[in-house]
Amino acid sequence: MKLSKAYEPKEYEPGIYALWETSGAFAPTTALALANTERAGKGEPFSIVMPPPNANGNLHVGHAYMIPIEDILTRYYRMNGRDAIWIPGADHAGFETWVVFERTLEAEGKSRFDFSREQLYDMTWDFVEQNRGNMELQLRALGASCDWSRSVFTLDEKVVNTVYQTFKRLWDDKLIYRGERLVNYCTKHQTSFADIEVEYREEKTPLYYIKYGPFTLATTRPETKFGDTAVAIHPNDKRHQKYVGQTITVEGADGSFEVQVITDEMVDPKFGTGVVKITPAHSFDDWEVAQRHNLPMKVAIDREGRMTKAAGRFAGMPVLEARQAVIEALEEKGLLVKIDKHYKTRIGHCYKCGTIIEPLPMKQWFLKIQPLAQRAKKAIEDGRIKFIPAGKGNELIRYFNELRDWNISRQIPWGIPIPAFQNKNDPDDWIFDTRVDQEQIIINSKTYKRDDDTFDTWFSSGQWPFITTDYLTGGDLARFYPTSVMETGVDLLRQWVARMIMLGLYATDDVPFRDVFFHGLVLDEHGIKMSKSKGNVINPMDVIDEFGSDALRIGIVMNRSAGQAQAFSTASVVAGRNFCNKLWNIARFIEAKSEDGAESSAAPSLDEPSVFPDNLTKNFSSSASTSSSPHGAPEKNSSKVCSEKRSGEDGGESRAATCEPESPADHWILRQLDDARAQINQHIKNYRFAEAVDTIYHTVWDDVADWFIEASKVNSRSEFLHYVLDITLRLVHPFAPFVSETIWTALHDDDSLLISQPWPEKLSFDKKKTDEFDQIKELVSNVRLVTTQLPAGKYDLLHENDALIAETADLIKSLSGLKSVKQVKQGKGLRLATAGHAAWLDLSDELIYEHQERLETHLVEVRQEIAVLKKRLANPNYTKKAPAHLVEETKKQLDEKRALEARLMVELWVATT
RNA sequence: GGGUUUGUAGCUCAGUUGGCUAGAGCGUGCGAUUCACAUUCGCAAGGCCGCAGGUUCGAGCCCUGCCAGACCCACCA
């Protein structure tokens, strides 16, 4: 029985995930940490909170980058014995979900206004509940090793309770206030938006020049004229000074009205005519001006986007219609001077339905932000939060400085209701009360009516780290706050990360996380932003279906750096798939080897995938695993110690195998693995995931497969092969968890899981032996380089009693594809330019002659390098100022190059003689 | 208007505080190979590191200017 030739991810991934999940491996203080007392408590707890994906949606390709990163971190620190948790979540995605839900209502010919708030809330809840499972299944498909038992939905009771607690505290601290402000209002969705939720588009819109009392002014919105309460000029503008301070009468489209003439810096004398009409209720600029000058406000547009009574005979018209009608009326009256049809300006749109956002005055709940912002700013300046990439911290500091009060109300039912009630008889009397399920409450015989608004999603999301860890209530997860790292997209820097820092510091007196890693946008293959309208969206589930989850993980993490928007590359996913297959075949080879070496019952059984994973632990046999069974089976093939240290009471928790290296190849591969281990440690610590993947990729492929396994074909010990595989699997696991676990469970007949194994410790090896293998490698490369240029055929390698070559003759022969390696009295043929060892390729004179040109080229190159090095050393500034070790290094290089030159000259001399 | 950021091989991208011959994946060329893997193996070609200056013993990396792109923010009627 054999493993299938190629790794088939689909056959194994769901089963493997189920094994992890049912084994409890995702929980903090894992079996590993508990069982390994000497490892437990190593370092601080590690925690990461998942940015909750939309409960109602599907994961997109951005998640396919985010989840692997968070998973790599979690698996890595878990294997390192840290008390590690990754808390998943699901987002009710207030407005996003609301839009989708409202669309289904509309499809049924219904409107939100047909239902009460409670009904709408319940309907939406059911709607989300129906769809919620998908998202979580997709997270599993990506291999997310998060602790599902701790999953938090953004409308869970504990979320609401904490949000109310925070709101109450802010209220008591006088940081919450009710204010009339201009808000960005979508007349279709009937809700206001935060500034960052408005999508500005550059558009052509006519600029009308109209007569306005004694002035002519330019406006794009003549219909708002009914809301004008002033007209402004720049303080230094000489042209209209005589009117300043006066009240003038303006003839309009529907009768005349009076406005004051004021001066304000905001007016650009060079724009239009240098005169601006001020409409405080419908323009953000004008609102500001009105605040400064204490101007009255007239509302000309209502929440439906229609003209109010103030518009006289235009009342009830939609805005755009009114604009046209007003212009026609002005033209009739001779008040229209000209129209600039080429004028372009930026117009705000609802980012969901595209409706033009109407600035409207509205009573809203506001959070006084600056006290919170300044504290957050200081925390960043003090370096209490580390940003990756670092520049993002400075960006936040600037943002905090200019941040204005935050409108936290939304006019949609799908969200957390604002716990505030208004006295029916005194509109200014608001009280905090959490009985939001009641429309009105009576307190001290006064009737209070509920505010029907809900919180902005980011008000609750902003508290996510301390909510999910139950920090305020002191649950058992409280030890994980502040969380170790927040991993999220650059696009959420302001709307989410900034708010978590502000609210975290406010509510807990501590930063919500130590590090923030920002991932960039994943673009399509050509570097274009993915969008449904462009039809270039890549569905991660399709990619998994075709290439496997591990392949997607590797492919997407590879060649990517923090914060950068970068293209998705199918080629990289293919590389990832091939990598998994490579690892798989390494395991197959090692299995086959131990089969060869095993005499009797020791046959390993690598089962057909079709039976997998049900018979997972049964069908992959015992003796195939490292030579010592838990019951102490005798070791074979080696007098050296190969043992397995196990810990845990009833077996199966964790194991650390060791096996002494013997051959140069053994020592060498241990060094390579140890280097990889150390490098990955550094890379993970620095959040350099692409480099970490690169390291493991090349270690497995180049070192383990291409050199060590190749060498093992000549001479191998099953135990040591398994030992190498064991370490390799551990190193691979955080990056390609499925394939590594599949192999692991296949090789172990107990219940042990790779996910719970310890990360490799420092490996020891003999440097002399590793050097020997390096020399063998160099010789082999040299032979390959020469023979690949020659006609196909087998050649003989000659040496004059070289100990290493003699000892490893078979190995060299095999690796180089030689006919033989022979010891001779006198070397002849082509002398190879290999350091430290004299060896000749026994070639005919013609072949040597053909090789001559190559040699000459090589010699020229080497001589050029020598010249460069000599020049560098001849420079007194270099030898004086450069660090000593670099100068030494250069000298060493020069020596090496000269030696090489000498060898090449010998080769060439032989070739030409 | 302000800010951030990018420009490195045919393509997509790495290159950490300046320091060995600037790397990877894919692609390309030549060759090999039924015995772990064609999702294979070996070898190679391919780079004025956007342009021009500057600092330095030394610059892909630091500084200045320019060219080209991306993104974010902002109140121009």
Side-chain angles (χ1 to χ4, degrees):
Chain A
M1 293 210 289
K2 293 283 182 198
L3 277 180
S4 62
K5 266 189 150 187
Y7 174 59
E8 299 290 347
K10 269 198 258 186
E11 303 286 345
Y12 306 97
E13 287 177 358
I16 288 291
Y17 195 91
L19 270 183
W20 290 329
E21 198 172 349
T22 52
S23 75
F26 300 157
T29 315
T30 53
L32 166 68
L34 280 179
N36 269 324
T37 43
E38 77 269 24
R39 296 183 60 87
K42 197 177 160 185
E44 287 172 32
F46 173 83
S47 58
I48 183 164
V49 176
M50 184 189 296
N54 183 348
N56 186 47
N58 291 305
L59 298 190
H60 52 71
V61 76
H63 292 113
Y65 181 36
M66 171 181 103
I67 296 299
I69 288 174
E70 295 175 14
D71 195 51
I72 287 169
L73 286 168
T74 308
R75 288 180 190 269
Y76 172 81
Y77 285 115
R78 187 189 288 126
M79 291 179 84
N80 273 275
R82 299 267 291 267
D83 179 17
I85 192 169
W86 181 16
I87 304 173
D91 186 11
H92 71 281
F95 189 64
E96 304 276 334
T97 301
W98 181 249
V99 169
V100 179
F101 176 68
E102 212 175 13
R103 222 173 269 154
T104 65
L105 270 186
E106 273 168 26
E108 294 165 22
K110 291 174 196 151
S111 150
R112 64 190 276 198
F113 303 106
D114 300 339
F115 304 95
S116 73
R117 185 174 89 170
E118 279 71 23
Q119 286 172 314
L120 286 169
Y121 186 91
D122 291 346
M123 286 159 70
T124 316
W125 183 281
D126 292 342
F127 176 73
V128 169
E129 202 56 29
Q130 284 166 24
N131 296 304
R132 185 169 162 179
N134 277 341
M135 181 274 282
E136 292 181 351
L137 285 176
Q138 290 167 1
L139 285 176
R140 286 174 167 86
L142 283 167
S145 67
C146 50
D147 186 349
W148 290 106
S149 70
R150 306 296 189 157
S151 184
V152 186
F153 181 50
T154 48
L155 293 179
D156 280 352
E157 202 185 337
K158 78 173 183 187
V159 179
V160 175
N161 288 341
T162 310
V163 167
Y164 284 177
Q165 195 179 331
T166 307
F167 182 70
K168 174 76 166 45
R169 216 182 128 190
L170 288 163
W171 177 302
D172 292 342
D173 284 348
K174 309 254 185 295
L175 293 170
I176 295 286
Y177 67 94
R178 189 137 173 98
E180 182 160 56
R181 288 294 161 93
L182 278 201
V183 297
N184 300 295
Y185 199 83
C186 173
T187 51
K188 176 161 181 245
H189 284 107
Q190 302 265 298
T191 187
S192 61
F193 290 112
D195 294 346
I196 40 181
E197 288 172 318
V198 178
E199 193 181 294
Y200 286 93
R201 300 182 202 153
E202 177 113 333
E203 280 166 37
K204 229 184 222 181
T205 178
L207 182 63
Y208 304 97
Y209 284 75
I210 57 176
K211 285 212 170 119
Y212 201 85
F215 309 110
T216 297
L217 56 73
T219 180
T220 52
R221 302 202 60 185
E223 76 281 8
T224 62
K225 211 175 164 184
F226 305 107
D228 292 356
T229 54
V231 61
I233 59 168
H234 193 270
N236 300 337
D237 194 333
K238 296 281 187 305
R239 290 172 287 183
H240 313 290
Q241 282 298 334
K242 61 175 174 173
Y243 297 106
V244 173
Q246 294 184 12
T247 296
I248 57 166
T249 303
V250 176
E251 182 62 22
D254 188 46
S256 58
F257 56 94
E258 297 192 331
V259 295
Q260 306 172 42
V261 181
I262 57 165
T263 59
D264 196 284
E265 298 275 347
M266 149 272 196
V267 182
D268 176 358
K270 290 192 278 293
F271 185 89
T273 60
V275 182
V276 186
K277 68 190 197 66
I278 302 297
T279 322
H282 302 292
S283 151
F284 288 100
D285 305 339
D286 296 3
W287 170 269
E288 298 281 327
V289 174
Q291 295 297 112
R292 286 197 284 269
H293 297 268
N294 225 348
L295 299 173
M297 187 174 78
K298 262 163 76 183
V299 177
I301 299 166
D302 68 12
R303 295 184 187 194
E304 311 276 320
R306 292 170 189 278
M307 304 310 292
T308 64
K309 273 185 250 162
R313 65 183 169 94
F314 302 100
M317 279 190 190
V319 167
L320 289 178
E321 204 177 299
R323 183 175 304 168
Q324 202 48 46
V326 166
I327 282 301
E328 278 163 22
L330 290 175
E331 193 163 19
E332 270 170 37
K333 291 188 172 189
L335 294 169
L336 184 64
V337 178
K338 63 167 178 175
I339 304 175
D340 177 357
K341 290 190 173 159
H342 303 287
Y343 182 67
K344 273 190 192 164
T345 191
R346 283 160 53 82
I347 296 175
H349 291 264
C350 171
Y351 79 116
K352 274 293 155 190
C353 66
T355 305
I356 293 177
I357 292 290
E358 201 61 65
L360 292 180
M362 212 164 282
K363 291 265 188 189
Q364 304 273 330
W365 292 103
F366 283 88
L367 172 57
K368 217 184 250 180
I369 206 75
Q370 273 305 320
L372 277 65
Q374 288 308 313
R375 206 173 156 189
K377 184 186 145 192
K378 180 147 194 314
I380 296 173
E381 284 170 346
D382 292 349
R384 293 173 65 195
I385 299 174
K386 185 175 141 201
F387 290 83
I388 300 109
K392 296 293 165 192
N394 295 329
E395 201 176 327
L396 268 193
I397 287 173
R398 283 190 297 274
Y399 176 64
F400 283 134
N401 274 333
E402 64 196 30
L403 194 52
R404 298 197 287 182
D405 288 355
W406 177 11
N407 172 8
I408 54 172
S409 347
R410 290 293 179 275
Q411 290 75 43
I412 51 172
W414 181 235
I416 300 177
I418 294 180
F421 288 74
Q422 184 180 34
N423 188 332
K424 273 194 154 172
N425 300 314
D426 178 3
D428 290 332
D429 178 17
W430 283 88
I431 54 164
F432 173 91
D433 200 294
T434 57
R435 284 174 284 170
V436 291
D437 54 331
Q438 301 178 35
E439 281 202 42
Q440 49 185 35
I441 54 175
I442 294 170
I443 294 175
N444 296 335
S445 70
K446 282 187 273 186
T447 308
Y448 287 85
K449 193 183 155 297
R450 179 181 70 191
D451 179 21
D452 271 344
D453 287 358
T454 48
F455 283 116
D456 175 8
T457 320
W458 300 108
F459 183 72
S460 45
S461 310
Q463 305 177 48
W464 204 235
F466 62 86
I467 291 173
T468 50
T469 52
D470 300 325
Y471 183 70
L472 294 179
T473 48
D476 67 321
L477 292 184
R479 68 182 187 279
F480 291 111
Y481 188 87
T483 59
S484 310
V485 55
M486 182 72 223
E487 196 281 334
T488 188
V490 268
D491 49 323
L492 295 179
L493 175 70
R494 292 158 181 236
Q495 47 189 335
W496 195 32
V497 174
R499 279 148 203 210
M500 283 191 284
I501 298 172
M502 288 189 290
L503 290 170
L505 281 163
Y506 175 76
T508 71
D509 278 326
D510 204 344
V511 291
F513 29 71
R514 309 273 184 222
D515 297 349
V516 192
F517 177 89
F518 288 103
H519 62 254
L521 205 59
V522 179
L523 308 171
D524 80 353
E525 298 255 10
H526 308 287
I528 315 279
K529 197 169 166 177
M530 291 188 200
S531 76
K532 275 180 196 155
S533 56
K534 286 191 201 111
N536 59 352
V537 175
I538 293 168
N539 177 356
M541 295 306 125
D542 293 345
V543 179
I544 289 180
D545 200 50
E546 187 174 356
F547 300 103
S549 185
D550 291 333
L552 172 59
R553 290 168 63 115
I554 289 172
I556 209 158
V557 173
M558 211 179 221
N559 280 348
R560 215 169 267 281
S561 53
Q564 294 297 326
Q566 280 161 359
F568 177 87
S569 156
T570 303
S572 296
V573 176
V574 169
R577 178 202 53 186
N578 295 354
F579 171 80
C580 294
N581 191 56
K582 194 74 188 174
L583 186 67
W584 180 255
N585 277 291
I586 289 170
R588 281 183 68 212
F589 172 82
I590 291 175
E591 281 307 275
K593 270 282 167 191
S594 35
E595 208 171 25
D596 296 345
E599 280 101 37
S600 54
S601 63
S605 53
L606 298 176
D607 199 40
E608 292 298 330
S610 55
V611 197
F612 203 87
D614 301 282
N615 295 337
L616 197 62
T617 50
K618 279 175 254 151
N619 287 324
F620 287 82
S621 94
S622 47
S623 55
S625 67
T626 51
S627 66
S628 67
S629 80
H631 311 294
E635 272 126 28
K636 287 194 224 152
N637 300 345
S638 169
S639 54
K640 295 286 174 88
V641 184
C642 289
S643 69
E644 201 167 48
K645 251 192 340 213
R646 307 197 59 179
S647 50
E649 288 299 299
D650 35 22
E653 275 94 12
S654 104
R655 49 176 74 214
T658 60
C659 192
E660 293 299 322
E662 287 176 1
S663 69
D666 293 352
H667 286 273
W668 180 86
I669 193 63
L670 289 188
R671 184 192 68 189
Q672 297 304 101
L673 289 169
D674 195 58
D675 283 353
R677 177 195 62 83
Q679 279 172 37
I680 292 169
N681 286 346
Q682 270 317 105
H683 291 322
I684 298 280
K685 201 177 137 202
N686 297 322
Y687 298 98
R688 303 189 78 88
F689 302 102
E691 283 89 335
V693 165
D694 197 63
T695 300
I696 196 61
Y697 182 95
H698 287 105
T699 301
V700 168
W701 204 304
D702 300 349
D703 297 342
V704 176
D706 289 349
W707 286 104
F708 177 71
I709 293 288
E710 288 306 316
S712 303
K713 288 177 179 173
V714 176
N715 176 17
S716 72
R717 287 177 300 144
S718 174
E719 292 77 10
F720 194 77
L721 285 171
H722 276 95
Y723 176 50
V724 167
L725 180 60
D726 181 283
I727 297 163
T728 305
L729 290 173
R730 289 170 204 253
L731 292 176
V732 167
H733 186 71
F735 308 97
F738 286 108
V739 66
S740 55
E741 187 73 85
T742 303
I743 296 169
W744 178 277
T745 49
L747 298 181
H748 294 88
D749 60 346
D750 54 25
D751 295 334
S752 76
L753 290 174
L754 180 56
I755 188 176
S756 305
Q757 301 306 311
W759 184 251
E761 299 277 3
K762 182 151 183 45
L763 302 168
S764 49
F765 48 85
D766 181 347
K767 186 165 179 309
K768 229 183 96 194
K769 294 274 190 184
T770 63
D771 286 348
E772 282 179 14
F773 195 76
D774 281 331
Q775 288 158 23
I776 293 167
K777 270 186 74 191
E778 193 194 342
L779 178 62
V780 167
S781 294
N782 219 325
V783 173
R784 283 173 180 174
L785 178 63
V786 174
T787 55
T788 195
Q789 301 297 318
L790 300 173
K794 299 277 187 172
Y795 302 92
D796 296 314
L797 186 75
L798 308 178
H799 69 95
E800 298 168 346
N801 194 19
D802 183 291
L804 181 64
I805 297 178
E807 250 173 59
T808 58
D810 286 347
L811 181 61
I812 291 168
K813 186 182 115 186
S814 163
L815 292 176
S816 323
L818 289 163
K819 194 163 74 190
S820 75
V821 175
K822 291 182 204 158
Q823 183 175 336
V824 291
K825 269 225 166 82
Q826 178 73 56
K828 68 179 173 83
L830 181 71
R831 179 166 170 167
L832 294 168
T834 306
H837 299 276
W840 290 260
L841 267 178
D842 191 9
L843 303 179
S844 67
D845 289 349
E846 293 101 65
L847 289 177
I848 293 174
Y849 186 73
E850 277 172 34
H851 188 61
Q852 186 185 339
E853 200 180 325
R854 251 192 82 81
L855 283 174
E856 280 168 351
T857 316
H858 194 181
L859 190 59
V860 169
E861 282 168 7
V862 170
R863 283 179 169 157
Q864 277 168 356
E865 286 162 10
I866 289 172
V868 168
L869 292 170
K870 275 166 86 171
K871 198 179 149 199
R872 191 182 300 165
L873 285 169
N875 180 350
N877 279 325
Y878 175 70
T879 46
K880 250 185 276 170
K881 293 185 185 174
H885 73 272
L886 280 172
V887 178
E888 277 311 303
E889 190 67 26
T890 310
K891 282 182 184 160
K892 212 176 117 193
Q893 272 171 40
L894 182 59
D895 291 345
E896 279 169 12
K897 290 292 172 193
R898 278 181 166 149
L900 180 60
E901 183 193 21
R903 292 198 302 276
L904 285 169
M905 282 168 73
V906 173
E907 255 189 65
L908 196 58
W909 179 76
V910 171
T912 47
T913 344

